[in-house]
Amino acid sequence: QVHLVESGGGLVPAGGSLRLSCVASAPSFSGYTMAWFRQAPGKEREFVAIISRRSTYTYYEDFVKGRFTISRDNTKNTVYLQMDDLDPEDTAVYYCAANSRASITYKPQEYDIWGQGTQVTVSS
């Protein structure tokens, strides 16, 4: 079975930066659409960013455009989320997710493989 493991979360002040990593335990990683989602207490899980198999397509939700950058390295089975100029509103558990059929979708229910999540807390 494929496993995704996120890391890089933590506590940072407003305006700070973090880089999240997600490592997949499968050689077929390069065939997956990869995305980041986040979920804050009391809120629904929401889309953050997506990247296609060969990095030819990326898309970001409006609230992170210009601040976050998604990338992937298929030689390392890893997807990244660089987060700059963090705001307390970014506080959430961040999840890495894969669509094994390489679909381009922004809905969490259409992703079939999920990591355990990593906590990002931004203080004011």
Side-chain angles (χ1 to χ4, degrees):
Q1 185 66 275
V2 177
H3 294 92
L4 305 177
V5 180
E6 303 99 331
S7 63
L11 174 64
V12 296
S17 297
L18 286 172
R19 190 181 75 159
L20 307 184
S21 299
C22 173
V23 180
S25 62
S28 53
F29 171 81
S30 62
Y32 302 156
T33 296
M34 299 298 299
W36 290 94
F37 295 82
R38 69 186 187 186
Q39 188 166 22
K43 298 181 67 177
E44 295 182 350
R45 190 165 298 188
E46 62 184 355
F47 168 78
V48 176
I50 190 171
I51 188 166
S52 62
R53 292 173 294 171
R54 299 185 65 183
S55 302
T56 56
Y57 174 82
T58 60
Y59 185 77
Y60 304 88
E61 191 55 90
D62 286 346
F63 49 76
V64 305
K65 286 181 179 176
R67 300 189 297 122
F68 291 10
T69 303
I70 189 171
S71 61
R72 67 191 295 167
D73 185 343
N74 289 344
T75 69
K76 298 180 179 179
N77 285 2
T78 302
V79 62
Y80 305 94
L81 186 68
Q82 177 67 44
M83 305 185 295
D84 298 318
D85 194 24
L86 284 162
D87 186 273
E89 294 296 318
D90 297 316
T91 295
V93 177
Y94 283 70
Y95 296 92
C96 177
N99 184 297
S100 63
R101 303 176 74 167
S103 299
I104 301 298
T105 177
Y106 315 104
K107 299 178 180 178
Q109 62 267 33
E110 296 179 359
Y111 285 76
D112 52 327
I113 307 168
W114 290 84
Q116 83 289 346
T118 185
Q119 177 71 47
V120 172
T121 302
V122 185
S123 64
S124 59

